[in-house]
Amino acid sequence: MSSQKTQRFVATTLFVAIVLLQSVVPFLGSLPLGAFFLGASVTIVPMTAALAGILLGPRSGMVVGLFWGMTSWVRALTHPGTIGALIFSNPLTALVPRLLVGLIIGFLASRWLTKERLSLVRFFITGALAAFLNTAFVILSTTLVFKVFAVSGMGIPKAHLFTWLVGILGFNSGFEMIANGLLVMIIGRVLLAKLPNLRA
């Protein structure tokens, strides 16, 4: 294994460890804005998957996204009784959106973000896009799953399901796009400028 591959493997493992910590330690993976004034809980794990894709390439981004999805799935199975647990207890919804976030952001970043193109706006857009893609893919996959496997209870409507999901998940989406955009803008720009190129 070459030195660059070894460094990429170690860095990918580090990002996976960060995702695992964010999934189990309060305040590392979310910003509980509802505790203050907004009534929202903003997930910032998309930032970690996005950074892995930006710094290490789409394959590493996909691996980190996969572990993010796995932690969501396990948490949903072990803590049932909420709408969120019902949504993410399906592996399609838990795994595929997060895997795609790391993959797509990594692919786009290899062309959109280079050492010659380190504008803050580009990094903000990339982080915001990661959060948007996560929400969009979760809504689409949940709509598909709930349509195929009829689900009732917990206030889930049989009609206008897509609109309902956009309503309950879309509220946080705007805040998540801003938060993840800012974090990627601050952290990603510094790391990409300082670290050696480890993209696959």
Side-chain angles (χ1 to χ4, degrees):
M1 184 179 291
S2 68
S3 175
Q4 186 182 45
K5 288 183 178 179
T6 301
Q7 291 177 339
R8 190 185 308 119
F9 175 79
V10 172
T12 302
T13 304
L14 178 61
F15 275 108
V16 168
I18 292 172
V19 165
L20 296 178
L21 283 174
Q22 287 181 307
S23 300
V24 298
V25 180
F27 303 108
L28 287 183
S30 63
L31 301 176
L33 300 183
F36 303 103
F37 57 91
L38 290 175
S41 179
V42 175
T43 300
I44 56 174
V45 187
M47 171 266 298
T48 309
L51 288 174
I54 291 170
L55 298 171
L56 305 174
R59 283 186 291 181
S60 292
M62 184 175 64
V63 170
V64 174
L66 176 62
F67 275 90
W68 172 22
M70 289 174 63
T71 59
S72 298
W73 184 40
V74 171
R75 188 167 60 248
L77 294 176
T78 55
H79 296 84
T82 65
I83 292 176
L86 180 62
I87 289 174
F88 292 110
S89 62
N90 187 292
L92 175 67
T93 303
L95 300 177
V96 175
R98 279 69 192 274
L99 186 152
L100 288 175
V101 167
L103 177 66
I104 293 173
I105 293 299
F107 177 78
L108 291 177
S110 64
R111 291 152 177 78
W112 170 257
L113 296 173
T114 65
K115 289 186 182 294
E116 294 76 30
R117 298 174 178 176
L118 295 178
S119 71
L120 293 175
V121 174
R122 285 174 180 261
F123 280 91
F124 178 84
I125 292 174
T126 304
L129 179 61
F132 172 78
L133 289 174
N134 177 55
T135 301
F137 287 139
V138 166
I139 291 174
L140 291 174
S141 60
T142 302
T143 301
L144 174 63
V145 170
F146 282 9
K147 287 289 187 181
V148 174
F149 304 99
V151 178
S152 60
M154 295 187 184
I156 298 174
K158 293 182 179 180
H160 308 294
L161 177 60
F162 180 80
T163 304
W164 180 78
L165 287 170
V166 170
I168 64 169
L169 298 178
F171 175 72
N172 279 359
S173 180
F175 300 116
E176 289 179 351
M177 289 174 66
I178 294 172
N180 285 277
L182 290 173
L183 288 169
V184 170
M185 181 181 72
I186 296 169
I187 301 171
R189 187 172 186 267
V190 173
L191 292 180
L192 188 59
K194 299 296 184 182
L195 295 179
N197 184 11
L198 296 178
R199 289 172 174 171

